Amino acid sequence: MNNVGRNAPCPCGSNRKYKHCCHHLPTVASAPTFQKQVGQMLQRALGLQQSGCLQEAMEIYHQVLRLAPDHPDALHLLGLIARQEGDYERAVELIGKATRLNPVAPLYFNLGNAYQSLGRLDEAGSSFGKAIELNSSYVAALNNLGIVFQQQGRLESAINCFRRALELQPSFAELYSNLGDVMRENRQFAVAIELIERSIALNSDFPNSHFHLGKAFHDIGEPERALACFHRALELNPDYSEAILGIAGTLYEQGKFDAARSQVERALQITPGCPSAWALLAFLKKMTPEESGWAKQASLLLAGKVKPKDAISLNYALGKYHDDIGNYAAAFPYYAHANCLQKEVGERFDRDHHRKWVDSVITANSVEIVRRYSDGSSDLERPVFIVGMPRSGTSLMEQILASHRDVFGAGELEFWNEAASARSLSGDASHHKQIMKLACDYEAELTKHSVDALRVIDKMPANFMNLGLIHSVFPKARIIHMQRTPVDTCLSIYFQSFLGTHAYANDLGDLAFYYQEYLRLMSHWRKTLPPEIFLDVPYEGLVEDVEFWSKKVICFLGLEWDDHCMSFHETERGVSTASNWQVRQKIYKTSTARWMNYREFIGPLLPLVAESSCQEQSG
């Protein structure tokens, strides 16, 4: 008899040692002799399974089933082997049958794992939830349910699961890492990093923690620290394809497209059917009809069982492929389906709430308040703000300016969104202490990015919402407002995955509404902000005459001209937005009037066409 090593990992796939794990224990009593015989057979099979002799183990389990066709333990353990070998449909079938015969928490747990491997997240969540109903202290089930909620975009539910599990087992390193990763997705970066670093302190050899920390550093614009974390994860697990893709994504943002592609190919050697790897390939170059083999493989993956996030990525990638090759009628359905999936897992956009919020900002920021210099405000001219709608040319403008010897591009900083949420937008001068603190904190933030640049750019587009607050803190700071043809802007947003950060972005009607509210707020800022610190820059004008507008903006910033601004596409710097590929190329005009290719599909956006002429007149 091949006995099971009592300190080895359990074959069920849990992280617990065999002798402590209850997921595989015999569960059905029978006649003593039969029970003893079956127990011995299962024990021998478990030993073989643990030693990697899966075929021999399976033969014994089938022998048990010939003796007792509905023996739940044999069905369950066969299901675990099926999952281990990647046959997830079979795993669901076998473990599902075992669970119906013996509905106990451990079997529901492993059924949830099988469903999760198959990408059937609703059934996985239901199974983990049933395990928790039967055992409210089931930490592993709480952890996995939290992961399912995160994959579904239900971040608050995921946070609650991980916190509840941590109350039960506060030394479980994996929980801190998973909670930190959800906090990262929820854009609470400082909290995320603290939690993940705590996970590493508890267990420095857990690869996922280093991977999650790398994603957090990536999201706050620290690519070198992100790369170090991804490489550390790979040292611990050389086959960690997600960490390899983390490296690929970071290299991509640094403009190292060939190196990024090599990393994607490396990941595909480990996981040939990795949907996120196949999707990323589409964004590393402009696709051509010669990539039809890529499109076929991506379509096959999409037709299979993939997780919602992977389905979203593949749909966007296939949309880009068909858009790149000019097959617009084929491209739009992919984009539309990607957005439908995003709506299912994302936060709902509330038009009425947003309209009232814009009303409140306008009311709280009258001309008298905005133009009043508050006690404690800073005379610093160093901050430069590039604002506008997403996909309006903010990245291109930043890339041009960051090519200047005296300018540093810091990317999209979260500072003012967080400051606005923590403070009333009243601009009241009595808040001078708070304004002084904001000035000091923001100056420190800029210094983290550059010590000596005369101008540091914050190109968070959404800062158009916070211009009253920004001006009250830095009244001499320059504000560059990028404008692009409204329908082109909205269509480009619709064609880009924003990972749940823009709830309005996944519905053409919501996009049109949001754009109108953006125009209303920008009209207010034009009336209230001093004209000498505010400049409208038309994207189409910039593309048509890059030298004229670049010189105009450099003059607006009070700097001397630098010829490097005209070779901006050669500037090596990280660009973490969807425009990463475009800003590495010379100016091209194919993105202007792009909406005409999709006119028949975008009815809700067409009323915005009239706004284009209004923008041209204001420009």
Side-chain angles (χ1 to χ4, degrees):
M1 182 180 297
N2 193 350
N3 291 324
V4 175
R6 306 299 288 176
N7 288 313
C10 175
C12 76
S14 79
N15 290 325
R16 308 185 72 189
K17 299 301 183 183
Y18 175 84
K19 67 179 181 180
H20 298 301
C21 187
C22 63
H23 301 174
H24 61 278
L25 295 178
T27 53
V28 174
S30 59
T33 302
F34 177 76
Q35 184 181 23
K36 182 178 179 181
Q37 180 186 5
V38 168
Q40 290 173 343
M41 294 173 71
L42 291 175
Q43 183 77 355
R44 185 166 68 255
L46 279 167
L48 290 167
Q49 184 174 348
Q50 186 183 27
S51 301
C53 303
L54 302 185
Q55 189 60 43
E56 293 92 331
M58 289 172 63
E59 289 175 2
I60 297 174
Y61 294 140
H62 284 299
Q63 289 176 21
V64 172
L65 290 174
R66 282 194 289 272
L67 294 170
D70 288 335
H71 197 289
D73 296 309
L75 291 166
H76 176 209
L77 292 165
L78 269 176
L80 294 179
I81 290 178
R83 179 170 177 258
Q84 186 177 345
E85 293 188 324
D87 189 352
Y88 304 129
E89 293 279 6
R90 180 66 172 158
V92 165
E93 177 188 348
L94 290 166
I95 303 173
K97 184 175 180 181
T99 305
R100 289 190 294 274
L101 292 165
N102 188 39
V104 295
L107 268 65
Y108 276 112
F109 174 81
N110 282 328
L111 180 59
N113 288 335
Y115 277 126
Q116 194 171 16
S117 298
L118 202 55
R120 293 165 61 175
L121 298 183
D122 288 342
E123 292 100 323
S126 176
S127 298
F128 292 135
K130 188 63 177 177
I132 295 163
E133 286 179 21
L134 294 168
N135 179 1
S136 61
S137 300
Y138 206 152
V139 171
L142 283 164
N143 178 61
N144 287 17
L145 181 58
I147 293 171
V148 168
F149 283 144
Q150 182 182 10
Q151 291 172 337
Q152 292 176 321
R154 299 167 61 184
L155 300 187
E156 288 302 321
S157 296
I159 289 169
N160 290 336
C161 277
F162 293 135
R163 283 179 171 163
R164 183 176 163 191
L166 277 169
E167 290 174 0
L168 295 166
Q169 194 170 338
S171 61
F172 193 174
E174 182 178 347
L175 288 168
Y176 289 103
S177 178
N178 290 341
L179 177 58
D181 194 50
V182 178
M183 290 299 189
R184 176 195 62 82
E185 282 198 31
N186 211 27
R187 309 191 74 76
Q188 298 181 51
F189 298 115
V191 175
I193 290 171
E194 180 183 351
L195 285 164
I196 301 168
E197 287 179 338
R198 185 169 181 183
S199 171
I200 293 171
L202 287 167
N203 180 5
S204 61
D205 293 333
F206 185 48
N208 284 18
S209 296
H210 297 279
F211 173 64
H212 290 161
L213 188 59
K215 289 197 291 182
F217 282 134
H218 164 272
D219 288 356
I220 63 172
E222 297 193 29
E224 297 308 320
R225 296 180 76 179
L227 285 171
C229 292
F230 294 143
H231 282 296
R232 177 57 181 152
L234 277 173
E235 289 174 8
L236 295 167
N237 178 6
D239 293 334
Y240 200 162
S241 56
E242 286 183 295
I244 296 171
L245 291 176
I247 295 170
T250 306
L251 293 172
Y252 163 71
E253 291 171 4
Q254 293 177 325
K256 301 173 182 177
F257 301 116
D258 290 339
R261 188 178 187 88
S262 294
Q263 292 294 329
V264 175
E265 290 170 352
R266 176 186 171 191
L268 286 171
Q269 287 177 353
I270 296 169
T271 314
C274 179
S276 53
W278 281 98
L280 182 54
L281 284 173
F283 297 93
L284 294 176
K285 60 175 289 187
K286 183 176 176 64
M287 303 295 274
T288 67
E290 283 68 40
E291 272 78 41
S292 59
W294 171 90
K296 182 178 181 180
Q297 179 61 33
S299 299
L300 286 172
L301 288 171
L302 189 59
K305 295 291 185 179
V306 293
K307 296 174 183 177
K309 282 188 178 180
D310 290 331
I312 290 167
S313 297
L314 287 168
N315 272 288
Y316 278 117
L318 283 161
K320 179 183 181 296
Y321 166 79
H322 287 288
D323 181 79
D324 282 351
I325 68 174
N327 191 356
Y328 306 118
F332 192 83
Y334 283 112
Y335 284 127
H337 191 52
N339 280 280
C340 286
L341 292 172
Q342 289 253 78
K343 284 173 69 175
E344 290 176 8
V345 302
E347 181 182 352
R348 177 181 172 272
F349 179 66
D350 188 330
R351 296 188 190 185
D352 188 55
H353 175 79
H354 186 72
R355 182 190 295 109
K356 290 177 180 176
W357 182 86
V358 173
D359 288 342
S360 70
V361 174
I362 292 172
T363 301
N365 288 275
S366 64
V367 176
E368 294 76 20
I369 290 176
V370 170
R371 297 202 183 186
R372 180 195 307 156
Y373 280 57
S374 299
D375 291 340
S377 62
S378 171
D379 287 336
L380 198 68
E381 296 183 37
R382 199 171 183 230
V384 176
F385 298 92
I386 301 178
V387 303
M389 287 287 289
R391 312 295 291 154
S392 63
T394 56
S395 293
L396 175 60
M397 187 79 262
E398 183 190 33
Q399 182 76 358
I400 293 170
L401 297 180
S403 302
H404 193 287
R405 60 183 174 273
D406 293 325
V407 179
F408 184 86
E412 300 183 357
L413 305 181
E414 294 283 344
F415 184 93
W416 296 101
N417 289 336
E418 295 172 0
S421 64
R423 175 188 183 276
S424 168
L425 291 177
S426 66
D428 194 323
S430 66
H431 294 180
H432 65 278
K433 288 184 179 179
Q434 190 175 18
I435 289 173
M436 286 179 64
K437 185 177 187 312
L438 285 172
C440 290
D441 290 348
Y442 191 65
E443 288 176 30
E445 176 70 21
L446 298 186
T447 302
K448 280 168 48 180
H449 294 275
S450 175
V451 176
D452 54 0
L454 295 182
R455 302 287 185 269
V456 180
I457 299 171
D458 181 344
K459 65 134 291 201
M460 172 61 75
N463 276 335
F464 77 80
M465 303 177 184
N466 306 318
L467 293 182
L469 174 59
I470 288 170
H471 184 68
S472 70
V473 179
F474 293 105
K476 294 186 178 180
R478 295 295 192 264
I479 298 165
I480 301 166
H481 172 222
M482 294 301 300
Q483 294 179 289
R484 184 181 179 188
T485 302
V487 187
D488 275 341
T489 303
C490 291
L491 190 66
S492 189
I493 292 171
Y494 192 70
F495 286 178
Q496 172 62 37
S497 174
F498 286 97
L499 300 176
T501 56
H502 297 272
Y504 63 87
N506 307 122
D507 181 276
L508 294 177
D510 287 343
L511 264 167
F513 173 85
Y514 187 91
Y515 196 93
Q516 291 285 5
E517 291 301 293
Y518 145 78
L519 290 177
R520 184 161 70 98
L521 188 52
M522 290 310 306
S523 175
H524 172 74
W525 294 133
R526 284 193 193 90
K527 296 172 186 175
T528 55
L529 292 170
E532 65 270 15
I533 61 98
F534 186 94
L535 178 67
D536 284 310
V537 177
Y539 172 77
E540 288 76 15
L542 176 65
V543 169
E544 185 67 32
D545 194 341
V546 64
E547 184 174 2
F548 169 81
W549 278 102
S550 297
K551 287 182 174 179
K552 185 171 183 175
V553 175
I554 291 296
C555 180
F556 171 67
L557 299 183
L559 300 174
E560 295 182 359
W561 176 247
D562 184 343
D563 286 337
H564 288 100
C565 293
M566 293 303 296
S567 54
F568 64 89
H569 55 284
E570 298 175 356
T571 301
E572 293 187 3
R573 52 182 294 272
V575 179
S576 60
T577 69
S579 303
N580 180 40
W581 169 263
Q582 291 93 324
V583 302
R584 313 290 185 184
Q585 318 305 313
K586 293 182 179 181
I587 285 290
Y588 63 97
K589 302 177 183 179
T590 56
S591 59
T592 59
R594 184 187 187 190
W595 66 271
M596 293 292 291
N597 299 320
Y598 293 95
R599 186 182 186 110
E600 63 181 295
F601 305 109
I602 56 171
L605 297 181
L606 294 181
L608 293 176
V609 173
E611 297 294 344
S612 300
S613 58
C614 296
Q615 285 194 4
E616 290 172 5
Q617 294 172 11
S618 68

